[in-house]
């Protein structure tokens, strides 16, 4: 199980390994049975038919136990389809358990090879990149400690306020008035110090947000573009998600501290402090908006099921899938993000260019983003999506009338997040324009797509504009 979870964490179940599983063994079965599969000695079973048959019988017993447990605990709809998995394995391997042992042995060896390659790549990666990540981690840890100190001071100030209020009620009127004035002055001084500390942390977070949105995220997208054309680069989002989540959590924590300061200030009405608190709140909201509007990414680019090794090359009428991830993985955002796909959204050339075909998605229903099976990220997967041409009045079928069937289009995913009295309009598109073809051969389509990228001197055209070959 540890091996499979490591592959999920490093986002390595695509590219060559994904193609390998498409040829050898259903990936969802490997995922559902990861604990059992990694607990067996498939290498020995692959060399001995008796051992292979024993492993297969153990697997059947394991599946039977899982089915019974799902039934008893009332989790049939939530748990994996264990009866379906059992039927598949019986139909394909009951007569040849040795073949199953060989397949699983080969799969485990291939996984180890991919993990070893990723480990070597990480070991030999640029020292400058490692130093930059280390510096960013150290800065985040420092800000986390500073925020905890502010929370402690805020808690102490609240407790002192409660004690001071009780003492003033017990004192004589004259003494109480003097104590009230002194207490207000002390409270204002402490509040100003705390506000200064909050502003200092927000200023540092501003620099980190800029690094994440203008450096780290574009670099990751560039690596994803390289991976789309076959480059063996890592597209793991572990570091990005950790930084985005930590920064968002810090900003939200600072906003709550600012709310408490504002509540204290309303009781004692310090005008200057009110203005500074309001400005700081706006600053925090600006940072949070900048972070969240960049947190939605297309983790897995559009790919057809029969050719997953050719992302971004789509044929009309053929099913394809896309995976979208929200990098801010906080429990507060669970089930708040309703993602809707759009085809050629806000692209004026589609309407203005004469003869350019228009398409729409057959599957456009929205999906609510929830925590994935591994429980460490907010993702949603759009599967069984297809394209169909929008027929306009007087137009002929594109398959019969048009000679050139190669076009570049774009898919966008949008959502509106409402949280803590704020509204964030978030949108993301596939990182490169994808090639769409109905009748052309996929091989020539891929060559046309890559040639266009090479001729333009870039892997993706800037902005949301169409590119024409």
């Amino acid at each position: 199980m540890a091996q499979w979870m490591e592959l999920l964490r490093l986002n390595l179940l695509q590219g060559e390994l994904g193609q390998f599983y498409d040829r050898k063994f259903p990936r969802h079965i490997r995922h559902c049975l990861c604990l059992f599969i990694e607990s067996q000695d498939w290498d020995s079973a692959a060399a001995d038919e008796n051992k292979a048959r024993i492993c297969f019988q153990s697997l059947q017993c394991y599946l039977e136990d899982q089915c019974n447990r799902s039934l008893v605990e009332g989790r049939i709809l939530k748990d994996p389809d264990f009866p379906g998995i059992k039927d598949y394995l019986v139909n394909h391997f009951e007569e040849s358990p040795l073949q199953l042992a060989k397949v699983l042995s080969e799969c485990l060896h291939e996984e180890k090879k991919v993990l070893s390659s990723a480990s070597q790549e990480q070991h030999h990666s640029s020292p400058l990149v490692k130093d930059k990540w280390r510096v960013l981690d150290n800065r985040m840890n420092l800000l986390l400690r500073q925020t905890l100190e502010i929370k402690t001071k805020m808690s102490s100030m609240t407790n002192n306020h409660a004690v001071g209020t009780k003492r003033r009620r017990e004192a004589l009127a004259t003494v109480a008035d003097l104590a009230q004035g002194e207490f207000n002055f002390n409270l204002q001084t402490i509040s100003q110090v705390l506000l200064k500390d909050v502003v200092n942390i927000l200023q540092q977070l501003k620099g980190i947000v800029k690094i994440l949105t203008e450096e780290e995220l574009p670099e990751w997208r560039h690596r994803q573009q390289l991976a789309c054309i076959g480059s063996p680069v890592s597209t793991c989002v572990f570091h990005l998600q950790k930084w985005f989540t930590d920064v968002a959590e810090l900003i939200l924590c600072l906003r709550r501290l600012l709310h408490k300061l504002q509540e204290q200030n309303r009781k004692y009405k310090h005008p200057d402090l009110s203005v500074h608190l309001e400005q700081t709140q706006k600053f925090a909201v600006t940072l949070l908006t900048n972070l969240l509007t960049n947190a939605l990414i297309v983790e897995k680019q559009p790919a057809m099921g029969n050719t997953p090794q050719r992302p971004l090359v789509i044929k009309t009428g053929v099913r394809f899938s896309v995976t979208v991830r929200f990098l801010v993985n906080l429990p507060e955002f669970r089930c708040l993000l309703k993602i809707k796909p759009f085809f050629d959204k806000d692209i004026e050339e589609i309407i203005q260019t004469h003869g350019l075909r228009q398409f729409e998605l057959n599957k456009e229903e929205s999906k609510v983003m929830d925590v994935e099976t591994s429980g460490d990220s907010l993702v949603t997967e759009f599967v069984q999506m297809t394209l169909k041409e929008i027929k306009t009045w007087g137009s002929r079928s594109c398959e019969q009338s048009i000679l050139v069937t190669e076009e570049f289009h774009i898919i966008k995913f949008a959502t509106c997040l409402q949280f803590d009295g704020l509204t964030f309009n978030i949108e993301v598109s596939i990182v490169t324009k994808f090639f769409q073809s109905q009748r052309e051969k996929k091989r020539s389509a891929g060559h046309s797509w890559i040639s266009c990228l090479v001729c333009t001197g870039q892997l993706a055209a800037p902005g949301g504009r169409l590119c024409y070959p």
Side-chain angles (χ1 to χ4, degrees):
M1 182 176 182
Q3 181 170 300
W4 183 257
M5 288 303 150
E6 185 68 8
L7 290 168
L8 289 175
R9 187 183 72 83
L10 296 176
N11 197 25
L12 295 175
L13 290 173
Q14 50 186 338
E16 294 183 3
L17 186 59
Q19 299 170 31
F20 176 84
Y21 266 104
D22 291 333
R23 298 192 305 270
K24 293 288 184 179
F25 194 73
R27 196 183 314 182
H28 73 281
I29 296 182
R30 172 66 178 95
H31 179 78
C32 296
L33 303 181
C34 58
L35 183 63
F36 178 86
I37 288 175
E38 293 181 30
S39 67
Q40 303 296 310
D41 185 3
W42 296 105
D43 290 341
S44 299
D48 188 328
E49 188 167 0
N50 289 330
K51 290 183 178 179
R53 191 165 298 279
I54 292 173
C55 285
F56 185 76
Q57 291 173 354
S58 300
L59 177 57
Q60 287 183 303
C61 293
Y62 174 80
L63 287 171
E64 190 68 32
D65 290 341
Q66 295 299 318
C67 291
N68 293 335
R69 182 178 300 177
S70 297
L71 186 62
V72 171
E73 297 178 359
R75 297 180 57 87
I76 294 179
L77 297 178
K78 295 182 180 180
D79 284 347
D81 181 17
F82 291 115
I85 294 174
K86 183 179 179 181
D87 290 342
Y88 174 87
L89 294 174
V90 168
N91 292 335
H92 288 79
F93 300 106
E94 187 176 31
E95 300 298 328
S96 56
L98 186 66
Q99 180 63 25
L100 175 64
K102 290 179 179 179
V103 168
L104 291 178
S105 175
E106 189 178 357
C107 288
L108 291 172
H109 280 290
E110 187 69 20
E111 291 174 10
K112 290 178 181 177
K113 186 170 72 174
V114 170
L115 283 172
S116 176
S117 176
S119 177
Q120 291 177 5
E121 180 185 342
Q122 186 175 8
H123 179 71
H124 296 294
S125 61
S126 170
L128 293 176
V129 173
K130 287 186 176 180
D131 290 341
K132 184 171 67 172
W133 288 2
R134 190 179 301 110
V135 169
L136 198 54
D137 283 333
N138 292 338
R139 290 178 64 182
M140 286 303 305
N141 291 332
L142 177 61
L143 293 178
L144 283 169
R145 289 196 297 270
Q146 292 177 353
T147 304
L148 287 175
E149 291 176 3
I150 295 177
K151 289 178 69 176
T152 303
K153 293 178 182 177
M154 179 74 73
S155 178
S156 177
M157 184 183 73
T158 304
N159 293 336
N160 291 338
H161 169 258
V163 172
T165 302
K166 182 178 179 181
R167 288 177 178 175
R168 288 194 306 276
R169 288 174 180 172
E170 296 173 353
L172 297 174
T174 305
V175 179
D177 291 339
L178 294 174
Q180 178 69 37
E182 183 180 356
F183 178 78
N184 288 352
F185 177 78
N186 292 336
L187 184 64
Q188 183 180 6
T189 303
I190 296 173
S191 299
Q192 288 173 343
V193 172
L194 291 176
L195 178 59
K196 185 178 179 180
D197 292 339
V198 170
V199 171
N200 178 48
I201 295 177
L202 287 173
Q203 288 290 353
Q204 296 182 65
L205 286 174
K206 179 182 178 181
I208 295 177
V209 169
K210 184 176 181 181
I211 291 174
L212 293 179
T213 58
E214 298 183 12
E215 295 180 23
E216 294 297 333
L217 188 57
E219 286 177 8
W220 175 83
R221 284 176 172 155
H222 180 69
R223 291 196 300 271
Q224 191 183 51
Q225 290 172 337
L226 292 174
C228 286
I229 58 175
S231 179
V233 295
S234 173
T235 58
C236 176
V237 296
F238 174 76
H239 287 93
L240 265 181
Q241 179 170 294
K242 179 180 180 299
W243 293 327
F244 267 79
T245 302
D246 288 346
V247 171
E249 194 169 15
L250 272 179
I251 296 175
L252 291 174
C253 180
L254 293 173
R255 288 194 74 233
R256 287 192 289 268
L257 293 176
L258 288 171
H259 279 308
K260 290 182 179 179
L261 285 175
Q262 287 177 317
E263 289 175 2
Q264 291 280 1
N265 190 58
R266 290 192 190 100
K267 297 177 182 178
Y268 304 103
K269 299 179 181 179
H270 303 297
D272 294 338
L273 190 59
S274 298
V275 174
H276 293 308
L277 284 169
E278 189 67 29
Q279 292 174 347
T280 308
Q281 274 284 16
K282 291 180 180 179
F283 182 39
V285 171
T286 301
L287 287 182
L288 187 63
T289 302
N290 189 15
L291 186 75
L292 296 183
T293 51
N294 285 279
L296 191 65
I297 63 169
V298 180
E299 183 178 11
K300 294 181 182 178
Q301 295 297 310
M304 295 182 291
N306 56 343
T307 56
Q309 73 278 13
R310 297 180 184 273
L312 308 183
V313 181
I314 308 299
K315 292 180 67 177
T316 53
V318 178
R319 293 177 179 177
F320 63 94
S321 62
V322 190
T323 301
V324 182
R325 177 190 289 249
F326 195 62
L327 292 173
V328 179
N329 183 25
L330 293 176
E332 298 95 313
F333 295 154
R334 184 174 180 178
C335 298
L336 290 183
L337 293 160
K338 192 175 183 180
I339 311 296
K340 182 175 177 61
F342 296 91
F343 191 81
D344 285 337
K345 184 175 182 285
D346 301 327
I347 305 269
E348 295 182 359
E349 288 93 331
I350 293 295
I351 300 176
Q352 297 176 354
T353 305
H354 177 70
L356 191 63
R357 293 177 293 167
Q358 299 181 37
F359 298 88
E360 65 180 359
L361 296 166
N362 278 0
K363 292 281 185 178
E364 289 190 357
E365 62 268 16
S366 302
K367 285 196 172 185
V368 176
M369 187 168 283
D370 201 355
V371 178
E372 65 176 354
T373 308
S374 59
D376 61 354
S377 57
L378 289 169
V379 298
T380 186
E381 184 177 9
F382 290 86
V383 296
Q384 298 185 349
M385 299 179 72
T386 56
L387 291 177
K388 66 176 182 179
E389 183 182 1
I390 301 175
K391 297 296 192 299
T392 57
W393 182 83
S395 66
R396 298 169 59 191
S397 172
C398 64
E399 297 183 19
Q400 299 175 359
S401 62
I402 194 164
L403 297 178
V404 179
T405 58
E406 301 179 1
E407 296 176 4
F408 288 85
H409 296 270
I410 191 169
I411 294 177
K412 292 185 178 182
F413 299 89
T415 184
C416 180
L417 173 62
Q418 294 182 336
F419 177 77
D420 197 20
L422 302 172
T423 300
F424 307 93
N425 293 311
I426 307 171
E427 185 178 282
V428 68
S429 64
I430 55 176
V431 295
T432 58
K433 312 305 174 288
F434 72 94
F435 176 86
Q436 178 276 328
S437 175
Q438 169 64 23
R439 302 180 66 191
E440 291 290 321
K441 294 181 180 179
K442 291 188 288 293
R443 183 171 180 176
S444 64
H447 288 172
S448 298
W449 177 65
I450 296 173
S451 299
C452 178
L453 299 180
V454 173
C455 291
T456 56
Q458 55 189 2
L459 286 175
R465 301 179 65 81
L466 291 174
C467 301
Y468 301 99

